[in-house]
Amino acid sequence: MTALLTLMLAIWASPQNLLRSDELGLDITLPAGAQMVHRPGDGGEHFLIRDGQASPAWSLRIESLATENADPAAILDRRASMTTTDRLIDRGPTLVDGRPAERLWLLREGPNGQPLALGYLVIPQILGRVAICSAVTTPDALDSIQPLIDQSFASIRLRDDPSSTGPTQAALRRGVAWLQAIDEQALRSLGGTRQVLRVHRTGPDPSEVAYGTLEAHIGPRGEVAGTQGPPEAWQSSDREQGLIVTTHLRFVMDADAEHYVDRAERSWVSLDLSEEIWADQATERKRDQRWTNTELGFRTAPGLGQPQGQLLVIRSDQRTGARDDWTYVVSDEWLPRGLRWLVPATRPLGTELIAWRTWDTSSLIPRMTTRRDQIADGVHFSWSGLDGLPTLLKSNRRGQLVRASRPDGTLIDTVDDETVARIWTDAGLKLR
């Protein structure tokens, strides 16, 4: 094997290109440089990925749909809707992760009269669903792009049968062991943490997204629970000491319209990790108008008649007047909300994939999700929620965040108060 081929295979196999989706029930390795454009929950239940170059050479849509007819050939006929003006390049049955599927490539005149090359892959899933991958490129780029897309199609691993759950279950077991090894000293060592965060986008159109702080200290439960009166008058449960993690972030929505969102998240977790509460408040400001959304979470420890803990989440929306609550059962695999920013600082991670169940802060619909982390070739990759592609995390020797590179191209950098204030002032943005 040549050195060049070895390098190409190493780049292809990098976890940086691995999209993991519990929602779609599959994993797929994407071509190098793939960038997230759309994810489930952003106005549709699909991923839209494209070439990350300045002039994208391809795009790929991945979705899972309900269907009454599980025949992949019939589903493909309906999706492609070939006409007499289309030119067939290749079509036929194939196997994806050992499952019969159907693939198709064709040339078609686009809406603006420009010719397009389209690729399709249809894979039956269980429970009356089907996974559909749709690729778009140009005829000029087809010879170089089709092999890349076909290689992505061939890399798909399905998660909708018992044999495919083994790696996830093994990763969750490692997550439980990681949590059980955290002692009170480890949590207390996080006290005193303070970091200033700058959230921004680079590239041809750089912009500021948000700024704020991340802080951690040891304190009583009542600080987050909002208990009234002097602490010495609190009941014993509110005086219980735990780790309190606070983030304050200001997001710029539209500077010209003076439209900002100020988000304050405070979480408390007991020193044995068995209980937690959080308060997440987002205040949207648009000139003189103001609306507030609040989310409260309460996790109780296992007890008599309740072998596993329970999580109660309450959400209220001032703009609509809506108030809803949900209850979930929590297992030993649960990663407390307050630790999600502090995983590397709490305990080291190994090179094997590790996973936890956790609360999804990326979704408008309340739900639990799976977070997966892995150190590969010295790089920390983290998959969580609806992102699909991993966030790349860089930490210092103490495990504190230095930079997070999100799959949509957003960067979260640790800076200082003076730097972030100067950047926002120079950009004409309002500080608090």
Side-chain angles (χ1 to χ4, degrees), residues 33 291 345:
W291 307 274

Side-chain angles (χ1 to χ4, degrees), residues 45-57:
E45 298 305 311
H46 66 274
F47 285 102
L48 182 60
I49 317 292
R50 73 179 180 191
D51 183 7
Q53 300 182 60
S55 298

Side-chain angles (χ1 to χ4, degrees), residues 59 152 158 168 262 266 272 281 283 296 391 399:
S59 66
S152 279
L158 301 167
T168 296
D262 292 318
R266 305 187 72 202
D272 63 1
Q281 180 171 291
T283 301
L296 303 175
T391 293

